Every structure is written in C-alpha cells, then in structure tokens.
Amino acid sequence: MGVADRLGCMGEAFDGIVDRFVFASREFERRLRTVRGGQWVGPTPCTEWNVRQLVNHMVRGNLNYVLLVNGGGREEFLRMREVDAMGDDPVSAYVASVRESREAFAAPGVLDQVVDYPMGQASGRQALAVRTADTVIHTWDLARAIGAEDLLDTDLIAWIDGHLEEIYAGLSEMPASVDTSHRYFAVPESANAGAETRQDRLLRLMGRNPDRSGDGIASARADRQLLSDRHRLQDVTHGAERLREIRQGG
C-alpha cells in the first residue's frame, strides 16, 4: 500500500495533528523546566540515554523533522540524530525547535508532502503523528527520570492508544509489535496481571515498565546496551559479507 492509499485509510487519526503536536510538546516543556542541575546526568527509562541525552533527542528530533519537509532524507536524518542541539540552554533550544517544527508543518501542502522518513516514505501528516506520539512517551520518560508528575494527558493517551496502527501504518517498525527489529523502539513489556490504567497499558506496549523506578531504570540500561551491541554486530557482519560479495564479483 502506497503513501496515498494509506492516507485514505487514516481518517480522523491525523485531524488537527499540528495542534496536537504543539500541545504534546508543551507537556514535555512543562517537565523540562523542572530539571535541576544534578539531574542532567541521571538515568532515564530510555536506558541508552541520560536526561541530557533524552532532551537532546527531543530537540534534535524536532529539527530533523524540519529537515525532512525541507527535502532532507533518511541518511541525513540518522546522521544528525545524536548531534548536540541544546548548547548551554536546553529549555530555549527545545522551545525554538518546537516553534520551527510547527511553522514547517503548518506551511501549505506540507502535511500532504511525502517525506523520506527513516522507517519508510510517509506523508508529512503521518510523520508528525509519529513525532507527536514519540513526544508523549518521552514526556513520561523525562518525568519518571526527574521525579516530576508522570500522569500524562488523558486525551493524548487516548489518541495514541486508539490510533496506534494508523500512526505507524506501512512503516518498517511498529513499536507494539514483538516481530519488529526494535532499532527505533523499545521491546514491549509484558502485561501486568493486575488492573492497570490506559496509560500504563500503553506504556508497556511502547516498551516502558511503569512499575520500574530508580534502580530498575539503571539496571535496564545494561539490557538495552546488550541489544544495541547485538544490532551493531549484525550490521558489521552484514557489511563484511556484502564487501566480500563485491570483491568476489569483481
């Protein structure tokens, strides 16, 4: 199914997506403004990142989405993914990145534009929906890491939970799927047998454990690093095999 066909199946999932992105970003900003000096190097539920790296991921990510709608491609997006974008003022950098993203996606025609997204071609509308969902989940990551309010906006949770398949339709990874490569998303957590809120169920689907805090976050980092190392080894092995094939062919 092509990008145009997918758009026809998504209906109300992406209605008002620019405003939804802005609102989700403000929720992240609200927690960001409470980060204290000593917390920047603390662990987060995103076990490969500390607090500063998580916030930089958000700033750089917003700027990379602007890059996409301005004609940038997958390779440049990935190359710039971890480059520092915060400088000495993380809050101002984040606010500016949200403003640039809003202005870029609010421009005429951009939501219908096809972009070269890292997980496959997508409309600007779908790409911004993925970014919005990412922002919501990372808001919880930041809140849990710094001990801030981690109860997320119920409308945002309901939107993601109700439209998860549409948000990630046709892309190479689906965060809630156990069959995907999980290079961009954490592996889903097992469901809790007890009664859970809609937020907790969604967090587990997105690879978070709402029961884990403190030491649990730190210990999970080692597990995530092991998975990352395995992926890196697979890439190196594949590259070596490909080089051998080229040389033999020559």
Side-chain angles (χ1 to χ4, degrees):
M1 182 181 291
V3 176
D5 295 322
R6 297 205 305 269
L7 277 174
C9 300
M10 290 170 183
E12 65 181 20
F14 299 156
D15 287 350
I17 190 58
V18 174
D19 290 338
R20 199 182 302 275
F21 164 73
V22 170
F23 178 67
S25 299
R26 287 174 180 163
E27 289 290 284
F28 185 90
E29 178 191 338
R30 185 159 61 86
R31 276 75 170 190
L32 175 58
R33 290 185 179 278
T34 69
V35 178
R36 300 186 299 276
Q39 294 180 316
W40 289 104
V41 295
T44 74
C46 300
T47 50
E48 70 273 32
W49 295 325
N50 60 27
V51 170
R52 180 179 174 84
Q53 290 166 328
L54 169 62
V55 176
N56 187 68
H57 169 74
M58 295 299 295
V59 178
R60 174 53 61 187
N62 287 338
L63 297 177
N64 279 354
Y65 276 71
V66 175
L67 180 153
L68 289 180
V69 301
N70 286 331
R74 174 182 184 275
E75 291 185 1
E76 187 175 3
F77 185 107
L78 294 175
R79 179 173 58 81
M80 297 294 292
R81 193 165 182 245
E82 306 300 336
V83 174
D84 182 76
M86 295 197 303
D88 298 327
D89 191 346
V91 174
S92 293
Y94 180 73
V95 170
S97 75
V98 172
R99 182 177 63 251
E100 289 185 37
S101 292
R102 178 186 59 78
E103 291 174 353
F105 281 91
V110 167
L111 293 180
D112 295 321
Q113 175 183 332
V114 176
V115 298
D116 185 23
Y117 193 59
M119 292 187 291
Q121 288 198 329
S123 68
R125 185 176 281 103
Q126 183 179 13
L128 189 58
V130 173
R131 185 61 186 159
T132 303
D134 198 47
T135 298
V136 174
I137 301 303
H138 284 320
T139 297
W140 182 85
D141 293 329
L142 179 61
R144 182 57 62 98
I146 64 174
E149 172 57 59
D150 63 4
L151 183 63
L152 302 174
D153 180 81
T154 55
D155 288 340
L156 290 172
I157 290 295
W159 172 72
I160 299 173
D161 190 39
H163 299 290
L164 200 62
E165 291 189 4
E166 295 99 320
I167 292 171
Y168 298 97
L171 301 180
S172 62
E173 283 206 15
M174 170 72 171
S177 172
V178 297
D179 299 322
T180 193
S181 67
H182 295 291
R183 295 196 175 198
Y184 301 107
F185 302 108
V187 179
E189 289 276 345
S190 299
N192 192 319
E196 287 193 304
T197 65
R198 192 174 194 177
Q199 172 176 310
D200 285 352
R201 290 195 300 271
L202 178 63
L203 287 169
R204 291 185 190 280
L205 282 176
M206 303 297 277
R208 272 66 175 176
N209 185 347
D211 299 328
R212 180 186 293 142
S213 61
D215 293 340
I217 292 176
S219 64
R221 174 173 290 176
D223 295 336
R224 180 66 178 177
Q225 183 61 49
L226 178 60
L227 181 61
S228 176
D229 290 343
R230 287 175 179 170
H231 284 150
R232 191 175 296 111
L233 179 60
Q234 290 172 356
D235 289 341
V236 171
T237 302
H238 177 74
E241 291 175 350
R242 179 58 181 155
L243 181 59
R244 191 179 305 114
E245 291 174 359
I246 294 173
R247 286 175 175 172
Q248 290 174 347

